[in-house]
Amino acid sequence: MSTEVIPEHVAVIGGGAWGTALACAARRAGNDVVLWARNAQVVDDINNGIGNPLYLPDVALDAGIRATTNMAEALEDAFAILLVVPSQRMRDVIAPVADFCAGRPVALCSKGVERSTGMLMSEVAEACLPDAEVAVLSGPTFAREVALGLPTAVTLAAEKTWVQDAVLKAVGLPTFRPYVTDDVIGAEVGGAVKNVLAIACGIVTGRELGENARAALVTRGLAEVMRLAEKLGGRAETIMGLSGMGDLTLTCNSPQSRNMSFGIELGRGRSVQEILDERRAVTEGVWSAESVTALARKHGVEMPICEAVNAIVTGNADIDATIQTLLNRPFRAEGA
């Protein structure tokens, strides 16, 4: 690949399925795109016109998407940066490149809470990239559908209008529609917690407990998301939008979701490690279960479904006994 830097391009940091899909959206929006990936095979495949068969097979990529393992090359002269690395690795990836991000919009496109600190991704970014302009891009998205150009809507959260405008320029399309808000916290909490709840819905499906049970989980799970978001300073209206209810609806109703499919296999009796050993892509909810529940406890927020998932995923709790504990909780008002 030539080391010539494309002026005024979109930088996508992360060569997994979601990063590749966002690169497709940015290219369709009329931008030159430079994608950074740690995996040299991913870079070679993209630059040789093969696509990204390791993470997003059978999807053709536009020739205007270039890939590199050189972070500086990807970031230099980018007018917008899409940060699409797993939440638990974000700090390690972005800390060394802080100088390249100064004054530029950095859209956080990964969902989770950092296990070691309990920080939301925006807090991690603000600590590591103090001079960047942080935004959050979150919502009901399956990477393959975005890559193929199928209609999708997401939440774009940023406090500054010009930052919203820059990210809209980077990825906004009739078929990829960001709806803007200044509620960064609400957009983040919805994305982080839904991964944990999707595992719960998968367990219910794998245990064949029925559609009624799954609908109850989604609804009561939404109440947990809202309680945590409001406690941290987010707004209920954001949780009722694309990054909350929308994302929860998608992820908890389709085995295409890595988190739900993980829960299905758990519900069928397989072990956490056995399932993870078969997967190339990261299942964020596995790592977020512990950090989300720790964050909730820290702020005195009751989240029994997330606590149950955490007990199963990290504490090897018996699934049937854990479900029974949830069912035996005291009756209460629905709004409580």
Side-chain angles (χ1 to χ4, degrees), residues 52-114:
N52 189 351
L54 280 175
Y55 293 101
L56 199 62
D58 302 319
V59 174
L61 303 185
D62 189 284
I65 299 172
R66 304 188 193 182
T68 181
T69 56
N70 185 324
M71 181 75 78
E73 181 181 351
L75 293 174
E76 189 174 356
D77 291 336
F79 76 83
I81 299 164
L82 308 181
L83 197 53
V84 204
V85 296
S87 60
Q88 305 308 322
R89 300 176 190 167
M90 185 174 290
R91 182 183 296 269
D92 293 338
V93 171
I94 65 176
V97 298
D99 290 346
F100 287 97
C101 301
R104 304 192 198 185
V106 178
L108 310 177
C109 307
S110 302
K111 303 165 183 177
V113 176
E114 192 175 48

Side-chain angles (χ1 to χ4, degrees), residues 221-281:
L222 183 64
E224 294 190 13
V225 178
M226 194 169 297
R227 284 198 292 269
L228 182 61
E230 290 185 318
K231 184 69 173 183
L232 297 178
R235 300 196 295 267
E237 67 194 55
T238 308
I239 302 306
M240 294 306 295
L242 290 160
S243 61
M245 184 173 67
D247 206 355
L248 193 62
T249 299
L250 180 70
T251 312
C252 293
N253 284 287
S254 175
Q256 286 188 62
S257 160
R258 290 195 295 268
N259 294 286
M260 185 176 182
S261 64
F262 176 86
I264 289 172
E265 294 301 312
L266 275 181
R268 290 172 176 168
R270 302 182 68 197
S271 72
V272 170
Q273 197 57 52
E274 183 182 6
I275 303 166
L276 291 179
D277 285 345
E278 294 178 350
R279 297 184 165 207
R280 182 184 301 275

Side-chain angles (χ1 to χ4, degrees), residues 164-186:
Q164 296 173 357
D165 291 342
V167 181
L168 284 170
K169 178 184 174 184
V171 295
L173 292 159
T175 54
F176 191 79
R177 301 182 57 81
Y179 286 80
V180 299
T181 177
D182 61 359
D183 184 10
V184 172
I185 297 298

Side-chain angles (χ1 to χ4, degrees), residues 2 181 191 218 232 256 291 311 322:
S2 168
T181 177
V218 171
L232 297 178
Q256 286 188 62
S291 53
T322 303

Side-chain angles (χ1 to χ4, degrees), residues 138-156:
S138 187
T141 52
F142 285 148
R144 183 177 180 81
E145 294 185 11
V146 171
L148 292 174
L150 297 178
T152 302
V154 295
T155 296
L156 167 57

